[in-house]
Amino acid sequence: AGPPPDGPAMPKREWLQAVSQVLMRTPQLGNSSHPDEEAVHEFASITVIAVIGLIALTIVFGYFTKKYKIYWLPESGFTMMLGMLVGGIARLAATPEELQALQFNPELFFFVLLPPIIFEAGYNLKRKRFFRNFSTIIAFAVLGTVISTFVIGFLVYAAALGGVAPEIDTTSPLQSLMFGALISAVDPVATLAIMGTPELNCDKMLYSLVFGESVLNDAVAIVLFKTFEKLTVGTATLAGAGDYFEVFGLFLGVSLGSVVCGVLMGLLACVICKYTNLSKYPSKEITLLLLFSYLAYAVAEAIFLSGIMSLFFCGIVLSHYNWHNLSAETQAASTYVFHALSHTSETVVFAYVGICVFTGAYNTWNWGFIAVALLICLFARAANIFPISFMVNLARKKVIPLPMQGVIWFAGLRGAIAFALAINMPQPDHGPKWNNDIIATTTLGIVVFTTVVCGGLTEPMLERMGMKKPHDDDEEDQGELLPLTSVADPTSTSHRAGGLHATWRNFDSRFMRPWFGGKAPRAQVYSSASDGSPLEGGP
């Protein structure tokens, strides 16, 4: 009678079961306990080929955008659209079971793809500009995210009551507030990919503010999301003031704990490199830096802190102290190695999100609500950027001009962090069950729009607002008035320190550098390539 239609070696159902188990860790689809390893290996090979092809196409596209100055379609937008093409083809050609292997995996994103991006951002951070604008960054990241969360949450709740989004729960604002928290996460992946492009050469102070906010506000958004998530258990509500004090206390504890965790992990790596002869083995030095970057992230997540914030400050510590403990070969190579890993991860992340537009198992798409939610997000960002800018300008030497405020408002790009939180929306223990598909699809729509449309309009926006600088402009921003927030790169001697800044520099020079790496500031010169990363042996 001949072999069955699915082939003599293995039924198709069992092949799909093997693929699903390996890539998605889903329950078995069939009854066989012996999946065909050769079929799984073949599928994995095809997947790897597809990923490599996507990365290669993005690199080639990036080369042509730089050569021909094509800014209307950024690399991240091109990668996302390429992912959407792949996802669309898969949607037409694959069965529902096969599509499971292409769905977004939050754990893969948070523990594999995101850490190299955040670590590279901290390791190659232009510390002087970041810390001179630190209080402004904190204001945008903390106060701004809280304002955005509640403005979006209550406006979405009002839209649900008005019938614009009947899928949203109207018995309590909790689901709406959780959406407000996750969609307020300004993604550093998207921000770095757009505004960090050297060819755009955006204003240095502008980039410091937008990038600093995008990194730190993720911790605020995630903490708010997790806090609201706790309220879904039992019969807790947001009726009392104590609940809001709990949100604030948890955020403060998580933020401080995350910074301490990252600093300790970075100092531990400094001690190992300083008091051993690892400098004789450059490859081991780079490996150690990578291991400690993941360790800082994993430890923070394991003790319920913010892995993003911990990893970011671990990178800063390693750049500040451990640079001096590295061999000359590692000093030269580490910047490029970490940047290459970061760029590869960014490419995979944007392709991943694009693929999920068509491969996600979502049954609820409300295009009217997606448009309304996008307008609400734009309004909420304006409601925090412009008032906070007005307040911080009262204490700054160099104020944030109105055109720069407009660019900061426009640069609120959403990305994979918001989407990863959206597909992890819980179900409440009490009351009606939530339709969380509407949260995932709305988030996905906003992510695609802000990355492709807003990202593509970034260059014209910078040009129109006068936020692009000549390539030979090395002017530093003047920073802020308060001594605590004018902490520059401690290795700099370009200005006279005072107050807490002077106390810190004295403590840093007398104790921290001798113990963990580095010489007195006057004994150092700087590498123009790393902008502030000191090279020993200066005059």
Side-chain angles (χ1 to χ4, degrees):
D6 290 329
M10 180 181 185
K12 182 178 181 181
R13 188 173 182 177
E14 294 183 17
W15 180 84
L16 292 173
Q17 168 195 353
V19 173
S20 178
Q21 284 181 310
V22 171
L23 297 179
M24 298 301 298
R25 298 181 182 178
T26 55
Q28 293 186 357
L29 300 176
N31 297 322
S32 173
S33 59
H34 302 285
D36 189 347
E37 295 182 1
E38 185 175 337
V40 174
H41 181 76
E42 180 182 356
F43 183 87
S45 301
I46 296 174
T47 303
V48 170
I49 292 173
V51 171
I52 292 175
L54 283 172
I55 296 174
L57 285 175
T58 303
I59 292 174
V60 173
F61 176 80
Y63 164 76
F64 282 109
T65 60
K66 291 176 173 58
K67 181 177 181 180
Y68 297 106
K69 299 181 179 181
I70 304 173
Y71 299 128
W72 56 270
L73 180 60
E75 282 188 48
S76 55
F78 172 79
T79 306
M80 188 175 289
M81 294 173 66
L82 202 60
M84 292 171 63
L85 176 63
V86 173
I89 295 174
R91 187 77 177 187
L92 295 174
T95 63
E97 291 82 3
E98 291 172 323
L99 293 176
Q100 290 182 359
L102 297 176
Q103 292 182 17
F104 193 90
N105 187 329
E107 300 305 317
L108 174 66
F109 168 72
F110 279 116
F111 285 95
V112 178
L113 299 175
L114 185 60
I117 301 170
I118 302 300
F119 178 72
E120 192 270 342
Y123 189 77
N124 292 323
L125 176 72
K126 294 166 176 59
R127 299 186 299 277
K128 183 186 299 183
R129 302 187 190 104
F130 177 82
F131 285 108
R132 283 188 173 184
N133 294 286
F134 192 67
S135 67
T136 302
I137 290 172
I138 289 295
F140 284 139
V142 179
L143 182 59
T145 305
V146 172
I147 293 173
S148 176
T149 295
F150 284 95
V151 170
I152 293 174
F154 285 117
L155 287 180
V156 166
Y157 184 61
L161 291 174
V164 177
E167 301 87 354
I168 299 292
D169 180 34
T170 57
T171 62
S172 165
L174 189 55
Q175 185 187 24
S176 300
L177 287 171
M178 292 188 71
F179 173 72
L182 68 90
I183 205 63
S184 296
V186 180
D187 197 348
V189 180
T191 304
L192 281 169
I194 303 295
M195 298 193 70
T197 304
E199 287 74 21
L200 289 184
N201 199 37
C202 76
D203 183 273
K204 296 178 175 62
M205 187 177 79
L206 170 64
Y207 179 75
S208 295
L209 293 175
V210 174
F211 164 69
E213 178 208 1
S214 69
V215 172
L216 298 183
N217 101 308
D218 284 325
V220 185
I222 292 173
V223 169
L224 287 172
F225 181 87
K226 295 297 183 182
T227 303
F228 291 138
E229 185 178 26
K230 289 183 179 180
L231 300 179
T232 63
V233 179
T235 58
T237 64
L238 291 173
D243 294 327
Y244 295 96
F245 280 110
E246 178 186 356
V247 172
F248 175 76
L250 181 59
F251 160 71
L252 188 62
V254 168
S255 299
L256 294 177
S258 301
V259 173
V260 171
C261 177
V263 170
L264 290 179
M265 291 296 104
L267 293 179
L268 179 58
C270 293
V271 169
I272 294 175
C273 289
K274 182 176 177 64
Y275 297 102
T276 62
N277 290 323
L278 274 179
S279 58
K280 296 181 179 180
Y281 310 99
S283 61
K284 296 184 184 298
E285 287 182 303
I286 294 181
T287 303
L288 184 72
L289 295 179
L290 286 173
L291 290 177
F292 268 89
S293 68
Y294 277 97
L295 182 63
Y297 186 90
V299 169
E301 291 292 328
I303 57 179
F304 305 104
L305 299 176
S306 170
I308 293 175
M309 188 175 290
S310 173
L311 180 55
F312 180 70
F313 280 92
C314 177
I316 292 177
V317 169
L318 290 176
S319 176
H320 183 65
Y321 296 113
N322 203 50
W323 177 273
H324 307 275
N325 304 325
L326 302 176
S327 63
E329 293 84 356
T330 303
Q331 287 179 343
S334 59
T335 298
Y336 297 103
V337 169
F338 297 146
H339 182 71
L341 290 175
S342 173
H343 183 267
T344 301
S345 296
E346 287 177 6
T347 302
V348 175
V349 166
F350 285 114
Y352 212 169
V353 173
I355 289 172
C356 291
V357 171
F358 293 102
T359 61
Y362 310 120
N363 300 317
T364 306
W365 288 85
N366 186 334
W367 295 103
F369 178 61
I370 292 176
V372 170
L374 179 61
L375 294 176
I376 290 175
C377 289
L378 295 174
F379 172 77
R381 185 155 179 85
N384 74 79
I385 292 298
F386 295 106
I388 291 176
S389 298
F390 173 79
M391 289 189 297
V392 299
N393 278 344
L394 299 177
R396 290 182 60 94
K397 287 184 178 180
K398 184 177 181 179
V399 301
I400 305 173
L402 189 60
M404 184 177 293
Q405 296 176 33
V407 176
I408 295 174
W409 164 77
F410 187 78
L413 307 177
R414 272 67 174 187
I417 291 178
F419 183 58
L421 293 175
I423 63 178
N424 277 338
M425 283 283 291
Q427 287 290 346
D429 288 350
H430 54 89
K433 294 298 181 182
W434 292 347
N435 180 353
N436 287 332
D437 272 7
I438 188 67
I439 301 297
T441 54
T442 302
T443 303
L444 189 57
I446 293 174
V447 168
V448 172
F449 181 88
T450 57
T451 302
V452 177
V453 178
C454 295
L457 294 175
T458 297
E459 193 272 340
M461 186 74 169
L462 292 172
E463 185 78 37
R464 185 173 183 83
M465 295 296 181
M467 292 295 109
K468 290 179 67 175
K469 299 298 181 183
H471 285 275
D472 58 349
D473 181 16
D474 294 327
E475 179 186 358
E476 295 285 354
D477 59 84
Q478 298 300 315
E480 301 177 350
L481 180 63
L482 303 179
L484 177 63
T485 60
S486 63
V487 179
D489 186 343
T491 61
S492 172
T493 58
S494 60
H495 67 283
R496 182 173 298 175
L500 292 177
H501 183 197
T503 302
W504 162 248
R505 288 191 62 186
N506 183 56
F507 177 80
D508 186 46
S509 299
R510 293 183 58 187
F511 299 104
M512 300 299 289
R513 290 180 176 276
W515 292 345
F516 299 106
K519 297 180 180 179
R522 293 181 181 177
Q524 297 163 347
V525 295
Y526 297 90
S527 165
S528 59
S530 57
D531 189 63
S533 298
L535 300 177
E536 298 189 29

